[in-house]
Amino acid sequence: MNCSYFCLDRLFIQSLVIIGLTMFHVSDLLATEPAPPIQIDLSLDILPPLGKAAQLTCEITSIMDAQTVEAHIELPPDTKVLYGDLNWKGELLAKKVVQFSVSVVFETEGNKEISCRVKATGDFTPFDSLGGLGYLYLSVGQIRTWYGYAPTPCEIKDSLANQPESGISGLPSSSCFNYGGIWQEENNPDNYYSISRNEDVLIMIDLSLLGEVGKPLAATYMGQKENYVYVLSPLAPFPIDFPDERQMSAVSIEITFTTNTKAVITPLGGTDNAVKVWIHKVFNNVEEK
């Protein structure tokens, strides 16, 4: 028997079991809070390695009018501003996009956290206040920069019952993290993903895509770790055109886990309109080792 075929079949059956468990918890998953009144998207035009300039943009969208609004980009230490303004003041109109940009250079390597903070003043009934905070996590290197933080040595409180296997000094074993569970998009709480890991293989099912197209293989991705991140490919890729530009089923994706409960999904080789997706874990399950 062909082992690769057998392994694929076994992993696919496990994925269907995950789908069944997810449907059992669907009522809990749908009971989420509405999206915040102000949406903030923080982005870079390129992923700049050490010493290379990039344009950082904060994009703001509101569901209602706000006449007095202030926004501020907060940079990590050792970041040089070449040109542009870190602050913006003005008026937000409902469903109209406002953005401001600044050119920056990272002067040191390592993990970087960038944020854009927005605050509005006035009467925003029925909301008590109007504002928001957007984040961007990077790992800056001399040759390449990644979205998300680079791996760090496991802390005892975060390690699983099994002892980590020996590996490269300073890098964690995969057993230090428990990825298995149900994950939710931070900017679109209606979208959910099921993630599980079987030894070196990571499996992700786009549950929202599964519900829209009804094709389990097209909504299932599988792959292994490459250079600190997981690179997954769809089992049955086909083009999809949704209004929210979720076209991931046609391309491979890269998943970077920043913690046990936070990660970012980056489409690879897709269109220029492909967007990163930040997700966080909302339901935990035990992984097979």
Side-chain angles (χ1 to χ4, degrees):
M1 178 181 294
N2 188 312
C3 179
S4 61
Y5 175 81
F6 174 76
C7 294
L8 176 62
D9 184 63
R10 179 166 63 90
L11 291 172
F12 176 62
I13 293 175
Q14 291 176 340
S15 300
L16 292 181
V17 172
I18 295 172
I19 295 174
L21 291 174
T22 302
M23 294 303 103
F24 179 77
H25 295 279
V26 66
S27 59
D28 293 334
L29 294 175
L30 294 178
T32 58
E33 296 181 359
I38 288 185
Q39 298 286 336
I40 302 171
D41 180 37
L42 200 56
S43 63
L44 287 162
D45 61 341
I46 62 170
L47 282 175
L50 185 67
K52 185 172 182 179
Q55 181 169 287
L56 175 66
T57 300
C58 180
E59 185 176 282
I60 310 167
T61 309
S62 175
I63 65 172
M64 59 191 301
D65 293 343
Q67 294 184 347
T68 306
V69 182
E70 297 182 4
H72 174 66
I73 295 177
E74 299 173 353
L75 298 175
D78 301 321
T79 303
K80 182 180 180 180
V81 177
L82 298 181
Y83 59 84
D85 197 337
L86 296 174
N87 302 286
W88 176 86
K89 293 182 179 180
E91 179 182 7
L92 283 180
L93 299 178
K95 299 182 180 180
K96 298 294 184 180
V97 177
V98 168
Q99 63 180 29
F100 63 105
S101 301
V102 61
S103 178
V104 298
V105 171
F106 299 113
E107 299 180 318
T108 57
E109 298 180 70
N111 294 332
K112 309 289 183 179
E113 177 182 330
I114 307 171
S115 62
C116 184
R117 190 181 303 273
V118 178
K119 181 180 180 181
T121 57
D123 182 8
F124 305 111
T125 307
F127 301 101
D128 295 331
S129 62
L130 202 62
L133 186 63
Y135 286 100
L136 188 60
Y137 299 96
L138 301 173
S139 175
V140 176
Q142 289 188 0
I143 301 176
R144 182 184 172 186
T145 291
W146 289 271
Y147 286 112
Y149 287 166
T152 56
C154 299
E155 297 181 5
I156 296 177
K157 64 179 181 180
D158 292 331
S159 63
L160 302 178
N162 297 336
Q163 292 294 324
E165 301 173 359
S166 60
I168 301 175
S169 177
L171 295 181
S173 162
S174 58
S175 62
C176 295
F177 298 96
N178 178 20
Y179 304 136
I182 306 300
W183 297 68
Q184 180 187 35
E185 284 190 24
E186 292 187 353
N187 292 333
N188 191 343
D190 292 330
N191 293 337
Y192 291 90
Y193 304 85
S194 174
I195 296 178
S196 63
R197 181 166 54 84
N198 188 307
E199 297 180 348
D200 295 331
V201 177
L202 192 77
I203 305 169
M204 188 194 81
I205 302 174
D206 187 336
L207 299 173
S208 302
L209 178 61
L210 176 64
E212 290 169 338
V213 302
K215 298 181 179 182
L217 286 178
T220 303
Y221 304 77
M222 187 164 62
Q224 295 180 308
K225 183 177 287 187
E226 299 180 13
N227 297 327
Y228 312 144
V229 301
Y230 281 93
V231 177
L232 311 183
S233 298
L235 297 186
F238 73 103
I240 296 177
D241 186 15
F242 288 129
D244 60 0
E245 298 178 350
R246 292 201 312 121
Q247 299 170 316
M248 289 190 297
S249 183
V251 298
S252 296
I253 61 174
E254 181 180 274
I255 301 183
T256 304
F257 293 93
T258 59
T259 70
N260 268 329
T261 57
K262 287 185 177 294
V264 58
I265 301 174
T266 305
L268 301 175
T271 65
D272 294 336
N273 295 326
V275 295
K276 301 178 297 295
V277 175
W278 280 268
I279 59 176
H280 64 278
K281 188 188 291 187
V282 294
F283 177 79
N284 191 69
N285 68 282
V286 178
E287 293 181 345
E288 181 180 346
K289 293 296 174 187

